[in-house]
Amino acid sequence: MVSVWHGNTSEHDKARLERIVRTASKIIGCDLPSVASLYATRIKRKGEKVMGDPSHPAYSFFKPLPSEEDSIPMGAEAPGDIIIGGIFPIHEAVKKDPDIFSPNQQQCVRFDKAGFTKSLAMINAIETMNKSPILRDVGITLGYRIHDSCADVSTALRVIADFTQQGDCGVGTNTSTYEQPVMAIIGASYSEMSIAIARQLTLQMIPQISYSSTAAILSDKTRFPAFMRTIPNDEHQTAAMVRLLNDNNWNWVGILTTDGDYGRMALDSFVSQASERGICVAFKEIFPGSVNSPDIHSVVRRAVRTIHNNIKVKVIVSFLKPTQMMYLYKELRDQALKAGQKSMKRIWLASDSWSSSSYVTGQVPLEDIGHIVGFTFKHGDLSSFNHYLSMLEAAGHNNTGNNSFLELFYTQLNASRDTQNTRLVSNPMEVLRNNTPADTVFSVEMAVSAIAQAVAHTCRTRDCKRPGTVKPWEVLKALKLHQFMLREKNYKFDDKGDINLGYDVTLWRSEKGIVHVHDVMAEYHPLNNSFTYTSHSSKQALSSTVSRCSDRCGPGESKKTAEGQHTCCYECINCTVGHYSNDTDMDQCLPCDLKTEYSLEGSSSCTPKPLESFSWQDGFAVVLLILAALGILLVLLVGALFLQQRHTPIVKAAGGPLCQVILLSLVGSFISAMLFVGEPSNLQCKARQVLFGLSFTLCVSCVLVKSLKILLAFQFNLGLQELLWRLYQPYVIVGGCVALQVITCICWLVLKSPSYNVNLQPTTRLAECHEGSYVAFGVMLGYIALLALVCFICAFKGRKLPQKYNDAKFITFSMLLYLISWVIFVPVYVTTSGIYVPAVEMVVILISNYGVLTCHFFPKCYMILFKREQNTMSAFEKSIYEYSCKNTGSVSIPETSLSEDTYISQPDIISAPSLFLPTTEPIVHQRSSGVTKFRDSNNWGNICGGLVKQQRNCVRRSTSM
């Protein structure tokens, strides 16, 4: 018993003992603690035990233990074949004195019941595993050494130094736990400590498993190869927070975080993911990393002012520590009361660092705080841990074993007698149950199970009872390669050393003054970044809150952000013509496919453009179609009548067979007009213009033949007349005229033919025919106009022929009507747009057709049907006779051509049959006895000759063709 005899030993004996220890160290090859250090440790431990037991007889001889606000680090330990280290924040901070420069251990302050509960969870898990078949089969037990980090990085590093500076060799099976190396470490709680610890443990590759350090940087195995954790990293937590904000359309939020590795990394991760979802951070407040910082209260007041000034921020994301949140809520209530407000309700998104700490509300009612939505790790069955607490309760205050933490806990409860809180004193385990973070307890149990099963797998082929048999890096390898089981479920660390089970989303509620923090409202699944809600009423309670800088832009609007402002602060403007927005808060309007769609200003969708054409259902089209059909019917009736009366003088005078050709061409022209109605096709576009061009060219060519015949009969001198009569071949002329038009149309169709085209209008699509080459189109129409102009000129000169059988005036009028209508057509066609463009040409075609039909054929039909007495040979002869007597004075040859005797002896009389009746033989001019005789198949020459003889005295001057 070193603690008994070492104090009475002389200095000479102490020196001799120290030399013996140093010699033993050299022999075995490892460092051993000095006798003095062993004595100091034993005395300190014994003194702590006496001071922790007021009933001890020697209690009055020791200085009382410091209060909750001023305590020193303590520990708990248990022997075993394999030692596991534990680091837990039993206290919340250390009392730092800036005037002290020596590297002494600083005093810890504020006992943390939640941190103490986590250490008990580790002890219970180890004791449970020692009883399990997993370790019994390999014949080993687990021991532990648990230290208090005091939520301070420097203190945690001192603990790690204590863990790693022990020798790695043993001196027998009875070696104390102090001398045994630590094979793995569970902890720390905060990421700042875990990062610092991990760098130290990496030197010896001692596996470290954290139960609540979530910094994403710890997943980098190139820097922290020995670090592992039983929870997901912060990237998943911030992703869950951002998803919740996005699902509830909250895009204007504030952030509270700590000034440390955990807080800074969580802030960066959150801002990065939030910006991708269009969520803006209205303000960021950075709190000191230590709750014992002298600046904490000024920072809290500044944060409260910021929250008050940002009225539109109804959602605040917090990565603070529990005590910091408690300070914040208290200050919020005080400021609200000063401002005359009853409450400052917000929605608080609590990170895993304080989401299970119900005491943060302090004396502030939860109703005044608002809604607290916590993100907690997955929790398991607490029945084993609750049973362990019941065992501690049954053991009583005096049976604390080697757990100085438990002694301190009971001491704190005893000190509460001054506050007359008898409930805490009488039922201490109830206090622990109320401060049990279910998620963290489960994470600690997972860490212990993983280490125990990794050790068991390593010790299957070796004797692990002998110290030094198992190396820490061998345990690390087994942890990474093998699965472990906990409550009949298998788990395995991923490539980053994490176990990602997702999160439970809790909604705090208050019932009779008691705050419940474990009511799960949803589960977050990291694999697909989604929530599964278990409480839809809680979801609806949150969705009614609006946290936005600007009102939502509805469909048909887009956001316009001013330069220098947050993207979440904007004004809504209507989408322009041709654009739309079909969702809320769209950054820009989407363009419509202008080929098939259109949209008006402020449209929420694109409207399909209807395909329009000069359709069959259009009223104007129906009228024109009726006129075209009527024209065809009239042409057929006239053709039948002329065919029946083909031997009568009127039909023969009208042109005979040429009349049937003209009527046939009019049928084609009327049909071409009908092709301008309806949705066109490529074939229809080509056919309608070509059919009209050829049909009307044929019609005008035949009319031209009749006009030339009149001109030949009356307007030339005798010598030229004889030459032209020989050249006058009606069918050759018609064929030649039509042939030129055929060549024009062929060139048009081959080089650049008309085709179907969809003309895009602002709100419609117009199905039309594109004429291909407007030059060819103009040449075709110009050629017809040229023929019509020649007809007009020739007919105009013969307009004074006998009224009953003369076509000159009708030809003149019909051609003039054609020319006028097509001259008007050109500007109207060019300036007209829309579905009625085809109607313009269709109207002009109908006018032209009806002009020819009414002027050329209707007068003849009238005479055939209603003036039958004038459609006889005698009436025809009488008409010629009257015309000859009436116009002989006006039809003459120049006086210089013939002598006076010639006027009397050789008058040349015009033969009427040659003017109005078709001949089957060439006309031959014979001069005998002063009479010009014409010979034809109908013997009209002799008839006319007799008439001329009887009227010789009437003739004074004559001319001859």
Side-chain angles (χ1 to χ4, degrees):
M1 296 291 291
V2 177
S3 59
V4 175
W5 55 260
H6 188 270
N8 298 321
T9 306
S10 65
E11 293 297 327
H12 178 71
D13 293 335
K14 290 180 181 178
R16 293 178 61 188
L17 289 173
E18 292 295 346
R19 286 197 297 271
I20 294 173
V21 172
R22 286 196 296 271
T23 302
S25 298
K26 294 179 181 179
I27 294 173
I28 64 177
C30 63
D31 295 332
L32 292 176
S34 64
V35 177
S37 64
L38 288 174
Y39 173 75
T41 301
R42 297 293 188 269
I43 291 297
K44 179 181 177 182
R45 189 174 301 168
K46 188 66 176 179
E48 290 173 350
K49 187 173 182 180
V50 172
M51 289 190 302
D53 185 6
S55 61
H56 196 282
Y59 178 78
S60 60
F61 296 101
F62 291 88
K63 183 181 179 179
L65 194 71
S67 65
E68 181 181 1
E69 296 297 325
D70 190 12
S71 62
I72 59 176
M74 308 187 74
E77 62 182 22
D81 300 312
I82 302 294
I83 302 301
I84 301 176
I87 302 177
F88 296 91
I90 310 301
H91 291 82
E92 292 184 357
V94 295
K95 181 182 292 185
K96 295 185 178 180
D97 189 350
D99 297 329
I100 297 178
F101 300 98
S102 61
N104 296 328
Q105 174 66 50
Q106 294 173 318
Q107 293 180 334
C108 299
V109 295
R110 286 193 292 274
F111 187 82
D112 186 358
K113 300 179 183 65
F116 173 56
T117 306
K118 298 172 188 176
S119 67
L120 294 181
M122 175 178 170
I123 297 172
N124 172 61
I126 290 177
E127 292 179 358
T128 302
M129 291 306 300
N130 284 335
K131 300 174 185 178
S132 67
I134 297 175
L135 295 181
R136 286 205 309 264
D137 290 345
V138 294
I140 60 174
T141 58
L142 298 179
Y144 57 84
R145 293 178 59 212
I146 300 175
H147 284 281
D148 182 8
S149 67
C150 300
D152 179 65
V153 175
S154 299
T155 304
L157 289 175
R158 292 178 184 274
V159 172
I160 291 301
D162 182 54
F163 284 157
T164 59
Q165 286 176 3
Q166 306 307 316
D168 60 354
C169 58
V171 294
T173 57
N174 294 326
T175 304
S176 67
T177 59
Y178 184 75
E179 298 168 340
Q180 287 181 268
V182 173
M183 291 292 107
I185 293 176
I186 296 177
S189 180
Y190 300 111
S191 296
E192 301 88 58
M193 284 183 284
S194 290
I195 292 173
I197 291 172
R199 297 185 189 278
Q200 295 293 326
L201 297 179
T202 299
L203 298 176
Q204 300 182 32
M205 294 303 288
I206 298 176
Q208 173 191 0
I209 302 180
S210 175
Y211 47 84
S212 62
S213 297
T214 57
I217 191 175
L218 290 168
S219 295
D220 186 355
K221 296 300 104 178
T222 60
R223 286 187 283 183
F224 307 101
F227 179 83
M228 309 174 83
R229 53 188 160 196
T230 55
I231 52 174
N233 66 45
D234 267 335
E235 289 184 350
H236 299 290
Q237 180 175 227
T238 53
M241 290 178 171
V242 170
R243 181 56 188 266
L244 183 65
L245 294 173
N246 187 71
D247 288 349
N248 289 278
N249 298 311
W250 299 326
N251 69 350
W252 193 235
V253 300
I255 297 181
L256 308 176
T257 188
T258 57
D259 187 13
D261 293 328
Y262 167 75
R264 294 288 184 178
M265 292 178 186
L267 175 63
D268 293 341
S269 178
F270 178 85
V271 172
S272 175
Q273 297 185 61
S275 61
E276 294 178 359
R277 293 295 188 101
I279 299 171
C280 301
V281 177
F283 62 84
K284 294 176 283 188
E285 289 295 334
I286 310 298
F287 282 59
S290 173
V291 297
N292 205 33
S293 171
D295 300 328
I296 183 65
H297 295 290
S298 62
V299 173
V300 168
R301 287 191 294 269
R302 184 187 64 198
V304 169
R305 287 194 300 269
T306 303
I307 294 173
H308 276 281
N309 294 334
N310 290 269
I311 298 183
K312 290 187 176 181
V313 177
K314 300 298 182 182
V315 177
I316 298 176
V317 180
S318 173
F319 298 97
L320 300 181
K321 295 179 178 179
T323 303
Q324 294 170 334
M325 287 302 303
M326 184 173 62
Y327 293 160
L328 181 70
Y329 286 146
K330 182 179 182 300
E331 185 67 23
L332 272 173
R333 184 193 61 177
D334 295 342
Q335 293 296 332
L337 292 176
K338 289 180 181 179
Q341 299 176 351
K342 294 183 178 180
S343 65
M344 281 296 297
K345 289 186 177 181
R346 296 290 190 275
I347 292 180
W348 305 84
L349 299 191
S351 69
D352 56 80
S353 60
W354 66 278
S355 57
S356 298
S357 303
S358 60
Y359 67 88
V360 300
T361 58
Q363 301 299 321
V364 183
L366 184 60
E367 292 77 9
D368 293 341
I369 294 174
H371 296 290
I372 298 180
V373 180
F375 288 82
T376 63
F377 308 123
K378 290 290 184 178
H379 62 272
D381 186 6
L382 295 180
S383 59
S384 174
F385 181 69
N386 289 330
H387 178 69
Y388 176 72
L389 294 181
S390 299
M391 291 174 59
L392 292 179
E393 185 178 18
H397 294 194
N398 297 325
N399 189 12
T400 59
N402 56 358
N403 190 342
S404 62
F405 298 140
L406 192 56
E407 296 176 11
L408 178 61
F409 172 65
Y410 287 136
T411 302
Q412 299 297 333
L413 292 181
N414 290 331
S416 65
R417 290 174 180 175
D418 297 336
T419 63
Q420 297 181 355
N421 193 340
T422 57
R423 179 176 179 273
L424 290 177
V425 178
S426 61
N427 194 359
M429 293 303 119
E430 186 64 25
V431 176
L432 293 180
R433 291 189 181 96
N434 293 334
N435 288 274
T436 299
D439 54 343
T440 309
V441 169
F442 178 64
S443 298
V444 171
E445 291 177 347
M446 290 180 66
V448 172
S449 297
I451 295 173
Q453 295 179 47
V455 169
H457 186 275
T458 305
C459 293
R460 288 175 183 172
T461 58
R462 67 186 77 177
D463 181 13
C464 293
K465 282 186 171 293
R466 186 168 59 87
T469 304
V470 180
K471 302 298 181 182
W473 53 88
E474 294 178 325
V475 178
L476 176 62
K477 181 178 180 181
L479 284 170
K480 290 187 175 183
L481 294 180
H482 301 288
Q483 295 181 345
F484 66 94
M485 180 178 291
L486 178 62
R487 297 188 181 95
E488 299 181 354
K489 287 186 178 180
N490 290 323
Y491 302 95
K492 189 177 188 301
F493 294 98
D494 59 21
D495 295 337
K496 297 180 179 180
D498 304 337
I499 295 180
N500 191 0
L501 299 180
Y503 293 89
D504 285 334
V505 182
T506 61
L507 181 63
W508 290 21
R509 65 181 176 87
S510 178
E511 184 177 358
K512 297 179 180 180
I514 299 176
V515 178
H516 300 270
V517 300
H518 298 303
D519 293 345
V520 178
M521 61 170 285
E523 294 181 4
Y524 175 72
H525 308 288
L527 293 178
N528 56 5
N529 190 25
S530 64
F531 291 99
T532 299
Y533 286 91
T534 57
S535 175
H536 293 281
S537 60
S538 300
K539 178 183 178 182
Q540 293 175 356
L542 297 177
S543 60
S544 60
T545 302
V546 177
S547 183
R548 305 181 63 86
C549 181
S550 301
D551 293 334
R552 298 175 65 88
C553 292
E557 297 176 329
S558 64
K559 298 187 295 186
K560 181 181 179 181
T561 305
E563 185 176 356
Q565 286 187 346
H566 282 282
T567 57
C568 297
C569 300
Y570 50 81
E571 59 178 329
C572 299
I573 58 174
N574 287 333
C575 294
T576 58
V577 175
H579 293 76
Y580 75 99
S581 63
N582 58 359
D583 202 356
T584 56
D585 288 340
M586 294 190 66
D587 293 327
Q588 59 183 5
C589 297
L590 305 176
C592 296
D593 184 1
L594 297 182
K595 293 183 178 180
T596 58
E597 298 172 330
Y598 76 95
S599 66
L600 302 178
E601 182 179 355
S603 296
S604 60
S605 63
C606 293
T607 304
K609 288 183 177 180
L611 185 62
E612 295 184 347
S613 61
F614 191 45
S615 66
W616 299 90
Q617 291 78 24
D618 191 280
F620 189 32
V622 172
V623 172
L624 296 181
L625 288 171
I626 292 174
L627 291 176
L630 179 61
I632 294 174
L633 178 62
L634 292 175
V635 168
L636 295 177
L637 293 176
V638 171
L641 181 61
F642 270 51
L643 186 63
Q644 182 186 5
Q645 302 291 326
R646 62 184 179 278
H647 298 299
T648 62
I650 290 180
V651 175
K652 290 183 177 181
L658 287 179
C659 291
Q660 300 297 332
V661 177
I662 294 174
L663 291 172
L664 180 62
S665 66
L666 289 178
V667 171
S669 185
F670 277 117
I671 293 175
S672 70
M674 299 176 72
L675 295 178
F676 284 84
V677 181
E679 183 179 347
S681 62
N682 279 322
L683 179 61
Q684 185 176 341
C685 292
K686 294 178 175 63
R688 67 184 190 182
Q689 295 291 8
V690 173
L691 180 59
F692 166 70
L694 296 180
S695 299
F696 212 76
T697 299
L698 178 61
C699 175
V700 176
S701 299
C702 294
V703 175
L704 177 62
V705 169
K706 295 175 65 176
S707 301
L708 291 174
K709 190 173 183 180
I710 295 172
L711 184 63
L712 290 175
F714 289 96
Q715 299 300 327
F716 293 99
N717 58 48
L718 183 61
L720 184 58
Q721 182 189 39
E722 291 181 355
L723 176 62
L724 292 177
W725 274 111
R726 291 188 181 94
L727 296 176
Y728 178 72
Q729 300 293 332
Y731 295 106
V732 174
I733 294 173
V734 171
C737 293
V738 174
L740 289 177
Q741 188 68 288
V742 169
I743 294 173
T744 300
C745 292
I746 290 175
C747 293
W748 187 9
L749 294 175
V750 171
L751 298 179
K752 201 170 183 181
S753 63
S755 61
Y756 173 79
N757 180 57
V758 177
N759 188 7
L760 300 179
Q761 303 293 325
T763 59
T764 60
R765 293 182 300 148
L766 180 60
E768 61 179 10
C769 288
H770 188 273
E771 303 304 341
S773 173
Y774 284 98
V775 174
F777 181 46
V779 170
M780 183 195 75
L781 296 179
Y783 180 70
I784 299 175
L786 178 63
L787 295 179
L789 182 61
V790 174
C791 291
F792 171 78
I793 295 173
C794 294
F796 182 77
K797 292 191 175 186
R799 65 188 181 281
K800 294 183 180 181
L801 290 177
Q803 299 293 329
K804 297 179 181 179
Y805 305 100
N806 181 19
D807 285 342
K809 291 183 179 180
F810 298 118
I811 293 175
T812 301
F813 183 75
S814 64
M815 294 299 104
L816 181 62
L817 182 64
Y818 171 82
L819 292 173
I820 293 174
S821 62
W822 283 96
V823 168
I824 296 175
F825 162 77
V826 174
V828 174
Y829 183 82
V830 171
T831 57
T832 302
S833 61
I835 62 174
Y836 292 107
V837 172
V840 175
E841 188 172 356
M842 188 177 180
V843 168
V844 177
I845 292 174
L846 292 178
I847 292 174
S848 303
N849 291 347
Y850 273 104
V852 174
L853 184 63
T854 55
C855 295
H856 285 262
F857 295 99
F858 283 1
K860 306 295 187 299
C861 294
Y862 175 77
M863 294 183 65
I864 292 173
L865 296 176
F866 302 105
K867 300 290 184 177
R868 295 178 183 271
E869 67 279 3
Q870 296 183 9
N871 192 19
T872 61
M873 292 299 298
S874 58
F876 179 77
E877 292 174 359
K878 181 179 179 181
S879 175
I880 295 299
Y881 173 75
E882 292 175 353
Y883 176 79
S884 299
C885 293
K886 180 178 179 180
N887 297 286
T888 51
S890 61
V891 181
S892 62
I893 61 174
E895 294 181 0
T896 57
S897 301
L898 296 172
S899 63
E900 184 68 22
D901 295 338
T902 306
Y903 294 162
I904 300 174
S905 60
Q906 294 182 345
D908 293 327
I909 305 301
I910 301 169
S911 174
S914 68
L915 296 176
F916 308 110
L917 300 177
T919 59
T920 57
E921 298 179 6
I923 301 174
V924 181
H925 295 70
Q926 295 180 350
R927 296 177 180 273
S928 64
S929 304
V931 179
T932 301
K933 296 182 180 181
F934 297 85
R935 185 179 61 217
D936 60 17
S937 59
N938 297 315
N939 201 25
W940 286 101
N942 293 329
I943 297 174
C944 292
L947 292 173
V948 172
K949 288 179 182 180
Q950 296 177 8
Q951 300 297 329
R952 187 179 301 272
N953 295 329
C954 297
V955 178
R956 294 291 181 266
R957 295 180 180 179
S958 64
T959 185
S960 174
M961 292 179 62

